[in-house]
Amino acid sequence: MHDDLIARAKAWLAEDPDQETRDELAGLIDAGAVEELAARFAGTLQFGTAGLRGELGAGPMRMNRGVVIRAAAGLAAYLRKQGRGDGLVVIGYDARHKSADFARDTAAVMTGAGLRAAVLPRPLPTPVLAFAIRHLGAVAGVEVTASHNPPRDNGYKVYLGDGSQIVPPADAEIAAEIAAIASLHDVPRPDAGWEILDDKVLDAYLARTDAVLAAGSPRTARTVYTAMHGVGKDVLLAAFARAGFPEPVLVAEQAEPDPDFPTVAFPNPEEPGAVDLAFARARATDPDLVIANDPDADRCAVAVRDGGDWRMLRGDEVGALLAAHLVRSGARGTFAESIVSSSLLGRIARKAGLPYEETLTGFKWIARVDGLRYGYEEALGYCVDPEGVRDKDGITAALLITELASVLKEEGRTLLDLLDDLAVEHGLHATDQLSVRVEDLSLIADAMRRLREQPPAELAGLPVVRAEDLSRGTDALPPTDGLRYTLDGARVVVRPSGTEPKLKCYLEVVVPVSGPAGLPAARTRATELLTAVKRDLSAAAGI
């Protein structure tokens, strides 16, 4: 076994095109680091929720140029088999370690395979790439990003020509083509022949951002903005300037791209501490709201003053606010969300007489809903211009929430006042998450098995009315590894994360509200219920 492992490592080393990972792997082989080598050669990175994503390093279980070249060659082979072998593939990338190298390798592989390749001019937000695919009539797109993962990670997101991320069976078909590549030496990689795009695509994207706002709407809300060391700043500032909003006050320490993300443990606005610097800036400048993008700027986080200090709105709260704003603006079309997001969206849509759909988790599903007008996911993802970007877009979402804040400001009201209105109208929908990060993935499988074998009969004293094993699929949903419990006045969805070693449990309680005076009591009741659901679910899952 040990000899076989060393032989596989040496075979990989012989093909590795990157001196940095060659040196790293050679060092591991020389040191006889069997456990580390075993981890890196335990298989190959698999296409998951977002294409490939993993830690940078040498070997097939890490993100590196060898893995990326194989992925690109597999995608090229898939496109040829689909009769798209002479089409355009557009490639974008963020500012993480190795992103520019991975983008260049992808362009070289596509060119060598006979496709046309075009690379965005510099690190830009993921939504610009998603826009460029349809704008340029590409047959596929690749974004090199690990979104909000830790600094040591990178990733590879694949879109097809409709501008949406891949879904089954395309992911499995591409994976099969990747697996069929015997040697990197079989993959032609010319030194030139692809196009580096100029700023025309970015200009076209920015021209569309205006379309998400209502003509003549107020543009007075003042913002503090953090790019979280990512690539969002220049595009967001340009979009805000075009729209005529006051220039956002920047969190200077996080404004420029930095692949080491020095001021945050995790560059994800949802993580504790990630927006502390933005809150400090807000206390000093007293804006109307705080906006944070994640590093590739496809997510948008919003914070508001609540009493004496600032608090982050939940993704579900922003999702409902944007929906209410779109309804008030006369939007028509289908409103959609993932099964882990708040059921409040469905109530808003039905009251407005609009079609509503639930999908599996991920924008690759939301973006595919027929007649989509607005889609969101609780993990801070919002699609407010599906004709332009069939994916979540943290730039246009920031524009729309700032417009809403401006409209309310003119009325002497705030985003929190509108949330209160929605609670009185539809019931208080309170959401929370129980998220368990593990080192050992078997703990997640054990928890899922325990819940499948012994589903809870009640949580927080509320009877479980329906327990669904989503791996069997439903009338409306294809199969996925998840469980859904519908309770009398609550809902719980449990699923393993597709991008991180986490078990995620999404909790929602709905408490009727008698009127504005009943809100404090409803909030207290919701908090008690969520705490009790979390406790009982933890016990049932053994986590």
Side-chain angles (χ1 to χ4, degrees):
M1 176 65 196
H2 173 251
D3 290 346
D4 173 57
L5 179 62
I6 297 295
R8 282 188 291 139
K10 284 182 173 172
W12 184 274
L13 178 64
E15 291 191 351
D16 191 335
D18 187 331
Q19 191 60 50
E20 196 177 325
T21 44
R22 286 173 63 83
D23 292 346
E24 179 190 338
L25 187 53
L28 291 173
I29 294 169
D30 291 345
V34 174
E35 275 189 27
E36 182 62 28
L37 287 169
R40 290 165 182 246
F41 286 84
T44 55
L45 279 184
Q46 293 299 308
F47 266 71
T49 306
L52 296 169
R53 201 178 285 183
E55 190 176 338
L56 289 162
M61 287 296 288
R62 298 286 183 267
M63 282 297 295
N64 52 63
R65 289 183 59 202
V67 163
V68 164
I69 290 165
R70 286 171 182 276
L75 174 60
Y78 167 82
L79 291 170
R80 283 205 307 271
K81 283 194 177 168
Q82 297 289 317
R84 302 270 193 275
D86 56 353
L88 172 70
V89 178
V90 61
I91 301 149
Y93 60 104
D94 67 11
R96 283 178 178 265
H97 293 295
K98 299 280 184 187
S99 286
D101 295 341
F102 295 166
R104 180 190 158 84
D105 281 331
T106 301
V109 171
M110 294 302 161
T111 305
L115 287 123
R116 291 176 295 126
V119 185
L120 293 181
R122 59 186 167 281
L124 286 166
T126 294
V128 177
L129 180 274
F131 167 81
I133 294 164
R134 301 182 72 204
H135 180 68
L136 297 173
V139 296
V142 170
E143 176 69 22
V144 180
T145 181
S147 190
H148 56 278
N149 276 38
R152 63 178 185 273
D153 288 4
N154 212 327
Y156 198 79
K157 212 181 239 194
V158 177
Y159 298 76
L160 293 179
D162 61 356
S164 315
Q165 295 173 51
I166 52 168
V167 293
D171 52 356
E173 290 169 15
I174 294 168
E177 297 293 347
I178 295 169
I181 294 155
S183 164
L184 285 192
H185 299 311
D186 301 337
V187 180
R189 295 201 323 278
D191 292 329
W194 56 91
E195 182 185 0
I196 306 291
L197 294 165
D198 58 20
D199 276 350
K200 286 199 191 80
V201 167
L202 177 59
D203 293 342
Y205 168 82
L206 285 167
R208 265 209 81 93
T209 61
D210 302 356
V212 306
L213 304 175
S217 63
R219 312 275 165 99
T220 53
R222 294 180 308 108
T223 55
V224 160
Y225 172 70
T226 175
M228 202 73 58
H229 299 296
V231 298
K233 180 196 70 167
D234 292 347
V235 178
L236 181 126
L237 289 181
F240 270 58
R242 286 181 69 106
F245 288 113
E247 184 176 348
V249 173
L250 298 177
V251 179
E253 303 93 325
Q254 298 175 332
E256 299 304 326
D258 187 333
D260 294 318
F261 305 104
T263 67
V264 289
F266 279 91
N268 179 354
E270 291 179 294
E271 293 281 347
V275 291
D276 286 358
L277 288 169
F279 284 0
R281 201 85 189 87
R283 290 178 197 116
T285 57
D286 195 32
D288 297 298
L289 67 167
V290 171
I291 287 174
N293 284 141
D294 66 337
D296 69 326
D298 62 352
R299 286 176 167 80
C300 175
V302 180
V304 293
R305 184 181 289 287
D306 188 2
D309 205 3
W310 289 83
R311 85 161 170 96
M312 186 66 74
L313 294 177
R314 290 187 169 278
D316 284 318
E317 291 177 309
V318 177
L321 287 168
L322 291 174
H325 183 44
L326 287 166
V327 166
R328 183 170 165 176
S329 307
R332 308 306 298 165
T334 302
F335 280 25
E337 64 181 339
S338 62
I339 55 170
V340 300
S341 305
S342 170
S343 59
L344 177 55
L345 183 70
R347 297 195 183 198
I348 291 170
R350 280 189 284 274
K351 180 96 185 264
L354 296 175
Y356 163 76
E357 273 197 46
E358 272 190 324
T359 73
L360 293 184
T361 312
F363 261 82
K364 60 184 184 180
W365 298 108
I366 295 169
R368 287 187 152 71
V369 167
D370 278 347
L372 181 68
R373 175 59 188 86
Y374 168 62
Y376 98 90
E377 186 152 82
E378 53 69 49
L380 311 181
Y382 313 95
C383 174
V384 300
D385 176 25
E387 285 306 301
V389 176
R390 287 203 182 167
D391 199 2
K392 53 189 178 292
D393 183 346
I395 306 293
T396 48
L399 287 171
L400 199 62
I401 198 75
T402 308
E403 179 186 54
L404 172 57
S406 301
V407 168
L408 293 166
K409 186 178 181 178
E410 300 296 298
E411 297 170 357
R413 285 156 40 83
T414 67
L415 295 175
L416 291 181
D417 293 327
L418 180 51
L419 282 172
D420 286 350
D421 291 352
L422 292 171
V424 170
E425 188 175 355
H426 302 287
L428 178 67
H429 289 62
T431 55
D432 201 357
Q433 207 183 104
L434 172 62
S435 185
V436 185
R437 185 179 287 273
V438 298
E439 292 293 321
D440 178 0
L441 286 173
S442 70
L443 296 173
I444 292 177
D446 289 346
M448 293 297 288
R449 190 181 65 247
R450 194 175 286 119
L451 288 170
R452 282 191 168 104
E453 288 171 0
Q454 295 177 298
E458 62 170 43
L459 296 167
L462 303 173
V464 174
V465 182
R466 189 161 82 246
E468 296 169 280
D469 185 343
L470 299 175
S471 66
R472 299 182 183 133
T474 72
D475 292 347
L477 300 169
T480 186
D481 185 11
L483 300 163
R484 177 164 59 181
Y485 304 117
T486 306
L487 296 90
D488 193 4
R491 185 217 62 204
V492 172
V493 177
V494 183
R495 62 179 279 273
S497 168
T499 53
E500 298 172 275
K502 278 183 177 178
L503 182 68
K504 291 184 162 183
C505 311
Y506 303 85
L507 324 174
E508 178 177 47
V509 299
V510 183
V511 180
V513 183
S514 53
L519 276 167
R523 283 205 181 89
T524 303
R525 172 68 177 148
T527 303
E528 289 168 356
L529 280 172
L530 284 170
T531 303
V533 170
K534 209 182 258 195
R535 179 197 65 219
D536 293 354
L537 185 64
S538 283
I543 49 176

